[in-house]
Amino acid sequence: QAALVEGVSEVPFVDAFQRSFPDRHVDDQYFGLTWSSSFSPVHELQFRANYSNHKVRQRWQTCPPAATLLPEMFDLYAANPLYANTLLSGRIPTGGSATDDALAAAALAAIGRLGAAARQPICTTPNQNLRETRLDIELQDTYVVSERLRFVAGLGWRQERGDMETFLGGTVSNDSHRAFANVEYRPVDWININAGGYFERDDITGTSFSPRLAANFHLSPTQTVRAAIARGTRTPDFFGQPVNWTYVAHDATPPLNGSRTVRFYQSAVSPGGLEEERITSREIGYLLRMPQWGGLFDVRVFDDSLTNLISEKLQVSSFEPTNRNSVRLRGAEIQTAINPSERWSLFLIYAYLNNADASTVLERTQYARHSGAIGVSHLIGDGWRW
């Protein structure tokens, strides 16, 4: 398998001083290989390997006041952001440590040396360029012990590497190892039980384990009730844990104190110590097959508890990721499809979602209480359908 993607994602706004649009120029490559071998009708081994390369070029022209590009302002912001912002607003900050006061005095002196030029714009071309690569290898074994018992198990390894001067200050990498297994058992003809687990260890957050247990009860040849409970995790990525965020440009016009290399005063460093996000999911469903109509009716209710969420909006002016957020999502989904004839088919989908107990308003901004779709399809002939 191979995929190549190249394009432009239009971005209207990044900073308050920009003079051009910070559009993202994207260049992606993906290559994958899957090999499988059947030792017998009941035993199969599968090997998968894939590699992806994701590149983004994002540059724009911005012209902030000269005072915001002073190295003394960068040092002050790194020590006390409130002091730096207060100073740029024209007021004298107070209440900090002796070190904060000394850095503020040095920054105030540097601004004074610029005089009226401190408020004059200096145009630069910062960037948010990035390159991410991922190599993933997995070995999976499937074995059918009998008509009532079968399992799948495997091992995997993944290496991720990020190269981002602005976000990471260089190159970082993360290696992760995983092991997984799932067993399906039929104690009687009308019950299927599935039990599985996923173990992972990576360099960012350490170890985690995600178990799952599910059962299908076949009430009749056309009716099935299912129940499942699962726990899962999401590991923080490069933009949450190892961040060292600074904006450096090498084309300052006019030069600042004789130098064309400048650094914007705001910066952000990840506090570290972030844990994985967690979800506990519970589900009960009912499936009805209608052979006389060529139809299917599927309904489920669910209750998902999400904890340890990193919900903060992460930006250079406010970078404080935590695991203190949570939300509970409960709802129901209905899917039905009917094929009354060979030429006609209809489908209906509806979902209800209740977003409750959100710890922050940001966890309530990307959901709809009601959603759905309805469609009709008709086969005209000669392979055409509307």
Side-chain angles (χ1 to χ4, degrees):
Q1 298 175 344
L4 303 175
V5 178
E6 186 174 346
V8 178
S9 175
E10 295 181 341
V11 180
F13 180 82
V14 167
D15 74 70
F17 308 106
Q18 68 186 42
R19 299 288 180 88
S20 63
F21 289 122
D23 293 341
R24 291 164 54 93
H25 297 260
V26 180
D27 185 8
D28 290 347
Q29 299 95 34
Y30 168 84
F31 304 96
L33 169 70
T34 301
W35 171 88
S36 62
S37 178
S38 297
F39 302 114
S40 71
V42 297
H43 191 192
E44 181 184 80
L45 190 68
Q46 183 184 84
F47 172 80
R48 293 193 308 108
N50 61 70
Y51 172 81
S52 63
N53 182 25
H54 172 65
K55 291 192 293 184
V56 172
R57 180 172 57 86
Q58 185 181 26
R59 297 167 60 89
W60 69 97
Q61 187 184 56
T62 184
C63 302
T68 64
L69 302 176
L70 288 168
E72 293 83 359
M73 284 300 306
F74 180 88
D75 295 338
L76 178 59
Y77 187 91
N80 192 323
L82 181 60
Y83 256 50
N85 292 329
T86 301
L87 194 62
L88 287 177
S89 69
R91 296 177 287 119
I92 303 299
T94 59
S97 66
T99 301
D100 296 337
D101 291 337
L103 291 171
L108 188 61
I111 293 174
R113 288 192 293 270
L114 289 178
R119 295 188 177 275
Q120 296 301 310
I122 291 182
C123 293
T124 65
T125 309
N127 74 79
Q128 291 186 157
N129 299 342
L130 63 90
R131 180 184 179 186
E132 292 179 276
T133 60
R134 173 182 290 188
L135 175 63
D136 191 285
I137 297 173
E138 181 178 281
L139 186 65
Q140 176 179 291
D141 188 52
T142 303
Y143 188 71
V144 179
V145 180
S146 67
E147 293 184 358
R148 297 192 181 277
L149 179 65
R150 56 184 176 178
F151 72 87
V152 57
L155 299 170
W157 169 77
R158 181 175 68 247
Q159 182 183 71
E160 299 167 290
R161 185 177 297 273
D163 184 5
M164 314 167 206
E165 180 186 26
T166 296
F167 294 116
L168 301 177
T171 301
V172 298
S173 63
N174 179 37
D175 282 32
S176 63
H177 304 80
R178 63 187 182 271
F180 57 91
N182 188 82
V183 176
E184 180 185 283
Y185 177 56
R186 299 182 62 184
V188 292
D189 290 342
W190 58 278
I191 297 179
N192 276 29
I193 298 174
N194 281 269
Y198 179 94
F199 174 84
E200 184 176 47
R201 177 180 179 84
D202 72 9
D203 296 338
I204 293 181
T205 59
T207 61
S208 65
F209 179 68
S210 303
R212 183 177 186 271
L213 179 64
N216 291 275
F217 305 92
H218 305 290
L219 307 182
S220 72
T222 60
Q223 298 183 78
T224 300
V225 173
R226 65 183 182 275
I229 182 170
R231 297 190 65 184
T233 62
R234 174 192 169 272
T235 302
D237 58 18
F238 290 149
F239 297 99
Q241 191 83 297
V243 168
N244 184 10
W245 195 344
T246 60
Y247 287 100
V248 180
H250 305 281
D251 60 346
T253 306
L256 177 63
N257 293 331
S259 175
R260 292 178 62 84
T261 298
V262 293
R263 182 166 52 179
F264 190 60
Y265 81 102
Q266 289 181 326
S267 63
V269 178
S270 175
L274 292 175
E275 300 177 357
E276 70 271 9
E277 298 177 312
R278 303 187 183 117
I279 180 174
T280 300
S281 180
R282 310 165 190 88
E283 172 187 331
I284 297 177
Y286 172 75
L287 178 68
L288 172 65
R289 290 180 291 273
M290 299 171 283
Q292 68 275 25
W293 294 98
L296 197 67
F297 176 77
D298 191 354
V299 60
R300 76 180 187 109
V301 294
F302 59 88
D303 185 347
D304 296 341
S305 298
L306 290 81
T307 58
N308 264 35
L309 296 183
I310 305 168
S311 304
E312 292 81 9
K313 184 177 181 180
L314 303 181
Q315 48 194 355
V316 68
S317 59
S318 176
F319 192 89
E320 298 179 357
T322 71
N323 287 113
R324 294 195 292 263
N325 301 286
S326 61
V327 68
R328 190 169 185 178
L329 303 176
R330 288 175 287 189
E333 295 179 353
I334 298 174
Q335 301 183 56
T336 182
I338 298 177
N339 298 287
S341 71
E342 293 182 355
R343 293 182 175 271
W344 288 95
S345 61
L346 303 89
F347 72 85
L348 171 67
I349 302 171
Y350 169 73
Y352 169 81
L353 181 62
N354 179 28
N355 182 310
D357 304 326
S359 61
T360 170
V361 68
L362 292 176
E363 286 296 338
R364 298 180 61 86
T365 57
Q366 299 189 47
Y367 97 102
R369 186 175 295 271
H370 304 280
S371 61
I374 187 170
V376 179
S377 175
H378 180 63
L379 179 64
I380 301 172
D382 296 328
W384 289 94
R385 180 183 292 271
W386 66 267

